[in-house]
């Protein structure tokens, strides 16, 4: 009986390591935007999902989140599939099919204007959902959830170091090929600087958390005891990786990415700074003015940091006004397309085809917009009214999860704040860019979110955390 239990634990750890490795590997080849890396990531993640579902039970604390996410996956992919089939009497069919029938005699008619593209796009939607569901199954304890977050943070730090070295020594090279776009910006392993900024912003928040945890462990480690020097070395390595993530973020020159990270840092860093060394803060009365002073100091520090190191992005924002940005020029055309197809959508993954008919000539005739630079509007156009409903439900569930985490977690409450701030970062940046549509980043964020949700729901009662007021030991990878 004991040997079976040990074997099961070893197997779970092996699957967890494979899960973390696959998530990190999905990032490396340009965010897996090309067919072969994407196919490899999708096959690997679906295999891990099937293994996890067969070998391990559904998560107990986060089962209701698991069920809602699974229902959303089935609803979105099911509706996308319905968009591709020919309904009786051409019911709800896009009017474009009528024009095609009159011109070339096409008899097929569906909701989607490009059924083949919609079918292909279903897998792009399913992959992050499957990653999130697999992460919830595997992150059944705080320790495993923290291992996922620590691994993702260290991976972001290493990628940031790689990006800095590449940008400083080979600015015209992107991994192993010639760099044609954003030559003046650091993009790390991504093609687009905005996706890189979203990723590096999350990496900065993750590394800040790891630095806090290991610094507290080091300060609580008695001098002269074995392992103290190793802790000191790891502390400095983590600090260097944190600096690398922050520096790489600034060199990305992404205005929206840096601003979204700034907002997330204003949510996360002041709380982290106030409670940096206070493991028993709920047992010791604190003078209110000291907390307010620390809060203001932390906020001023973030503002000064932004003004000192984000000069290139600020200069770029001053040189180019918002009204001159192409992504804002095309917004009226996107709204017109949505107003014409708000109920059923035009088909998942059909933005490039549909938007050409709504493009304003005043925005210029150069370039092809294959994405809306707005995750929410593109989803609304592709899927119809079901998309904003699903988005609202997802944010509502996350708000409930994080609220429960804030009210019931004590020792690991900063991980709940980390989840909130990173979600705010991604949600804000998604309003002006398409980071969530890049498979590598979508998988990375889904894995992060699964661990943050698991920690937020990890306790039924906050009383258990009060029994352990000591510093949190650093997560091992």
């Amino acid at each position: 009986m004991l040997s079976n239990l040990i074997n099961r634990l070893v197997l779970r750890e092996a699957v967890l390591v494979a899960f973390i490795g696959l998530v990190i590997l999905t990032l490396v080849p340009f965010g897996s935007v090309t067919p072969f890396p994407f196919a490899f990531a999708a096959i690997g993640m679906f295999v891990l999902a099937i293994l996890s579902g067969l070998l391990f039970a559904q998560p107990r604390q986060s089962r209701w989140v698991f069920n809602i996410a699974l229902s959303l996956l089935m609803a979105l992919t099911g509706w996308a599939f319905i968009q591709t089939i020919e309904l009786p009497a051409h019911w709800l069919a896009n009017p474009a099919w009528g024009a095609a029938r009159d011109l070339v005699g096409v008899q097929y008619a569906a909701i989607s204007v490009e059924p083949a593209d919609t079918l292909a796009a279903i897998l792009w939607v399913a992959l992050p959902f499957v990653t999130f569901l697999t992460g919830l199954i595997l992150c059944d304890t705080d320790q495993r959830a923290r291992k996922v977050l620590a691994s993702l943070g260290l991976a972001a730090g290493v990628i940031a170091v790689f990006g800095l070295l590449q940008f400083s020594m080979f600015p015209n090279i992107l991994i192993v090929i010639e760099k044609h776009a954003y030559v003046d910006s650091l993009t790390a392993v991504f093609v687009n600087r905005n996706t890189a900024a979203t990723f590096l912003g999350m990496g900065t928040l993750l590394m800040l958390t790891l630095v806090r945890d290991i610094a507290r462990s080091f300060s609580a480690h008695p001098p002269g005891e074995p392992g103290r020097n190793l802790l000191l070395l790891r502390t400095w390595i983590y600090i260097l990786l944190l600096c690398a993530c922050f520096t790489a973020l600034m060199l990305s020159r992404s205005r929206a990415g840096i601003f979204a990270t700034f907002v997330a840092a204003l949510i996360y860093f002041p709380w982290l700074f106030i409670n940096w060394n206070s493991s028993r803060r709920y047992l010791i009365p604190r003078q209110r003015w000291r907390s307010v002073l620390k809060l203001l100091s932390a906020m001023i520090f973030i503002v000064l940091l932004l003004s000192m190191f984000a000069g290139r992005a600020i200069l770029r924002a001053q040189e180019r006004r918002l009204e001159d940005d192409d992504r804002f020029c095309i917004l009226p055309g996107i709204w017109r397309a949505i107003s014409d197809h708000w109920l059923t959508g035009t088909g998942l993954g059909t933005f490039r085809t549909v938007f050409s008919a709504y493009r304003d000539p005043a925005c210029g005739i150069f370039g092809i917009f294959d994405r809306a630079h707005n995750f929410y509007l593109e989803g609304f156009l592709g899927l119809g009214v079901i998309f904003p409903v699903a988005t609202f439900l997802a944010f509502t569930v996350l708000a409930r999860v994080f609220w429960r985490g804030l009210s019931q977690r004590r020792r690991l409450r900063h991980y709940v704040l980390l989840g909130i701030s990173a979600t705010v970062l991604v949600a804000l940046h998604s309003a002006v860019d398409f980071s969530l549509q890049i498979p590598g980043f979508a998988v990375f964020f889904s894995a992060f979110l699964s661990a943050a949700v698991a920690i937020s729901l990890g306790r039924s009662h906050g009383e258990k955390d009060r029994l352990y007021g000591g510093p949190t030991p650093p997560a091992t990878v």
Side-chain angles (χ1 to χ4, degrees), residues 151-172:
S151 302
L152 298 182
L154 292 175
V158 172
I159 290 175
V161 172
F162 169 78
L164 289 171
L165 293 175
Q166 179 181 250
F167 186 66
S168 59
M169 295 189 293
F170 309 103
N172 295 322

Side-chain angles (χ1 to χ4, degrees), residues 436-452:
L436 280 177
Q437 294 168 252
I438 304 301
F441 179 77
V443 167
F444 179 86
F445 180 65
S446 298
F448 165 87
L449 208 57
S450 66

Side-chain angles (χ1 to χ4, degrees), residues 85-106:
I85 63 178
E86 188 173 13
L87 298 175
H90 293 172
W91 186 55
L92 296 178
N94 193 286
W97 289 105
R101 183 172 57 253
D102 296 337
L103 289 174
V104 293
V106 175

Side-chain angles (χ1 to χ4, degrees), residues 153 156-158 160-161 164 200-201 203-204 207 240-250:
V158 172
V161 172
L164 289 171
L200 292 168
T204 301
M207 286 310 307
L240 290 175
L241 292 179
L242 169 62
C243 294
C245 285
F246 178 77
T247 305
L249 171 65
M250 296 298 109

Side-chain angles (χ1 to χ4, degrees), residues 69-83 118 122 125-126 129 348 375 379 383-391:
L70 183 60
S71 300
L72 277 178
L73 171 61
M74 295 174 63
L76 293 176
T77 56
W79 173 245
F81 177 76
I82 292 174
Q83 288 181 316
T118 300
I122 290 176
V125 172
F129 271 95
L348 184 65
F375 171 74
L383 290 172
V385 72
I386 190 176
F387 181 81
V389 173
T391 302

